[in-house]
Amino acid sequence: MVLFNPKQYKDRNYPDERSAEIMKKTIEFFENKGLAKLKEDFHSREFTYDFAEFVKKERIFETLFLPKGYGEDPNQYYSTYRMFEFSEILGFYGSAYWYMFHVSTLGLDPVLLGDNEEAKHKAAAKLKENPLCAFGLSERAHGADIYSSEVKLYPQADGTYLAQGSKYYIGNGNLAGTVTVFGKMADTDEYVFFVVDSSHEKYECIQNVIAQNQMYVAEFALHDYPITEAEILSRGKKAWDDMLNTINICKFNIGSASIGICEHSLYETLNHAAKRNLFGKYVTEFAHIQQLFFDSWCRIIGMKLFGLRATDYLRAANPEDRRYLLFNPLMKMKVAIQGEQVMELLWDILAARGFEKDMYFEQAAVEIKGMPKLEGTKHVNMALIAKLIPNYIFNPKEYPEVPRMNGGQNDDFLFNQGPTKGYGKIQFHDYMPTFKALSHLPNVVVFMEQIEAFKEFLMGSGMDLMEQMKNFDFLYALGECFAMVPYAQLICESAKMEGISDDIMDSLFDVFVRDMSRYAMDLAMKQATNEKQQELCTKMYRKPVVNLERYNRIIKDEIYSLVDAYHMNP
């Protein structure tokens, strides 16, 4: 079963007992807490102290966050696959718990990526007494403009430094034992990463910048906070690279959290609709409801398959294979936006019930909206993705095939990614053989025709395209069309590994064909699109091949078979 179901978690395979133990105990923590208490804490905006205590007691962040060579476990390793699974579980139960986890790994990774070996072991040991970490990057005046960081380290006569300045929108900034801070040296203006502790007297937690929420997103200030060389993690270009590489590692969590949110919401919506009788029919019998369930279920399956396969490419990355730098922002942006779309579809089924306080859905509908806004806006991530269009579409390269990588190996390269340069030179394996292997499915054939039409659009646009792509509105619409290709490609690769049926794959491409048509129409309507490009866009407008027998099988055998498959403990 591709979808996560806490009641069937014993069916998951892990390379070691410790990994299985973490997942099982985390599920038990939430199921023992129960839905009523989960919602009570959500409505009272109770900070997730209980989860922090659970993580500390079970030493979960030590196992998940630390790469080989750190911590007390001689078998310690860092696994993106394990992080994917844990992030999905937390999303399934609530974004506040996921956020505590997510910003902790963001906060710790600049230490692990840095040059200060002593600081790495010190931070690893500190996880035992306080597992919460924080990533001090954003500032109130500058937001995502990280070039303009104003926090400064001022050199002192004795060779130490005093840190001054404030950071804004910093998760866990109220309690974190390890707070990594990105700033500049006051005398040279070079970038620097250093570490502080939120319990220090020179650290002021000013406020929680968001209201009515379980999460603590801090504004904090450093008032002549004393810093020695022991607290400095990296300087100059290395500090800059460590900041971007930290985000590369951690923004992957956003997609997996979105998957978990959607999975729980799907179960809840199915359970409600199957028992709701209106006008002499159960809600699940109405044609429009079946279409809504079909589209939402297909999107969730696609999200999960993509996430599993993208995980493989992160784990297999090396200096000669950096394909993960496309699949990672797709996981962050594309999967998270798919999650928003799924929730809108499910809400049309639940209708007013989706507002009710006893439903998980009530909080999920709010929390899903935050996912695409974290770790760079969708436009920033799309700008990264769009830079890779020429090499992906027109300049493939041969690579050894990447297997499913869910074993116990350490993800060495993620903590040694090196300089953040040469992005536009990254090459990818040829996508067409992946689609041709499924060319017996009619909707895959239609999608392949849309890809050819997209290539014709790119070639027919000529040099005008380079100038047009400076317009973010145009660039985003173009990127939406392009992103469908690697997104669908990795889903196909993953489906082969997971043994997904032809019925399901043809159904997924029913959705993809419609999406590509919609994105192409949006591109055609942009102010910057010229008349020739408008005409070329029309070649991408296609209707999926209708197969009612296949559609009805998916509804009955795949989707409606999930009714009552999962109810959270009350």
Side-chain angles (χ1 to χ4, degrees), residues 382-520:
M382 187 62 87
L384 286 172
I385 289 166
K387 288 181 181 180
L388 300 171
I389 292 175
N391 272 352
Y392 182 92
I393 296 292
F394 298 111
N395 187 26
K397 174 183 173 181
E398 287 191 15
Y399 289 93
E401 184 172 350
V402 174
R404 175 66 83 229
M405 299 190 69
N406 55 1
Q409 65 268 40
N410 188 65
D411 295 358
D412 296 324
F413 180 72
L414 291 184
F415 295 94
N416 190 27
Q417 295 175 60
T420 52
K421 62 181 181 179
Y423 185 79
K425 297 179 181 179
I426 299 170
Q427 289 178 271
F428 301 86
H429 57 302
D430 190 352
Y431 52 89
M432 286 309 294
T434 302
F435 295 124
K436 286 179 180 177
L438 291 172
S439 59
H440 57 286
L441 301 178
N443 283 312
V444 175
V445 173
V446 177
F447 188 77
M448 291 167 65
E449 293 168 355
Q450 290 176 306
I451 295 174
E452 291 304 312
F454 179 63
K455 289 172 65 176
E456 187 177 347
F457 173 91
L458 295 174
M459 292 184 289
S461 297
M463 295 305 296
D464 289 347
L465 196 61
M466 300 304 295
E467 187 63 29
Q468 289 170 311
M469 287 175 68
K470 295 178 182 178
N471 178 328
F472 261 60
D473 188 45
F474 178 91
L475 179 145
Y476 187 81
L478 177 73
E480 286 277 39
C481 293
F482 166 66
M484 284 302 307
V485 186
Y487 186 67
Q489 178 194 3
L490 262 62
I491 288 170
C492 291
E493 293 179 10
S494 191
K496 181 180 179 182
M497 295 175 170
E498 298 295 327
I500 303 300
S501 72
D502 282 354
D503 268 3
I504 293 175
M505 292 308 295
D506 200 42
S507 298
L508 294 184
F509 276 86
D510 177 306
V511 175
F512 297 162
V513 168
R514 285 184 276 134
D515 280 354
M516 181 69 101
S517 299
R518 187 172 72 253
Y519 296 145

Side-chain angles (χ1 to χ4, degrees), residues 39-96:
K39 293 308 302 286
E40 178 186 330
D41 288 353
F42 174 77
H43 290 129
S44 67
R45 312 312 183 196
E46 174 73 18
F47 184 66
T48 50
Y49 292 109
D50 59 343
F51 182 63
E53 188 59 36
F54 163 74
V55 165
K56 177 181 176 180
K57 176 185 174 185
E58 300 296 338
R59 300 177 65 173
I60 288 176
F61 287 178
E62 293 172 65
T63 299
L64 293 178
F65 292 174
L66 296 176
K68 183 179 179 181
Y70 299 95
E72 296 178 355
D73 185 351
N75 300 313
Q76 177 63 33
Y77 65 92
Y78 181 93
S79 163
T80 301
Y81 180 81
R82 194 160 61 178
M83 293 286 281
F84 173 91
E85 290 267 337
F86 191 76
S87 177
E88 179 187 17
I89 291 170
L90 297 188
F92 190 94
Y93 289 108
S95 289

Side-chain angles (χ1 to χ4, degrees), residues 340-379:
E340 283 190 293
Q341 294 173 350
V342 166
M343 294 300 291
E344 289 298 324
L345 294 168
L346 295 177
W347 209 342
D348 279 345
I349 299 169
L350 276 179
R353 181 77 170 112
F355 291 100
E356 295 184 23
K357 65 182 181 180
D358 61 332
M359 298 282 283
Y360 166 81
F361 192 94
E362 177 234 1
Q363 74 181 66
V366 174
E367 293 172 342
I368 196 74
K369 293 292 184 182
M371 294 301 167
K373 283 81 173 173
L374 296 172
E375 318 320 338
T377 66
K378 63 182 184 180
H379 291 88

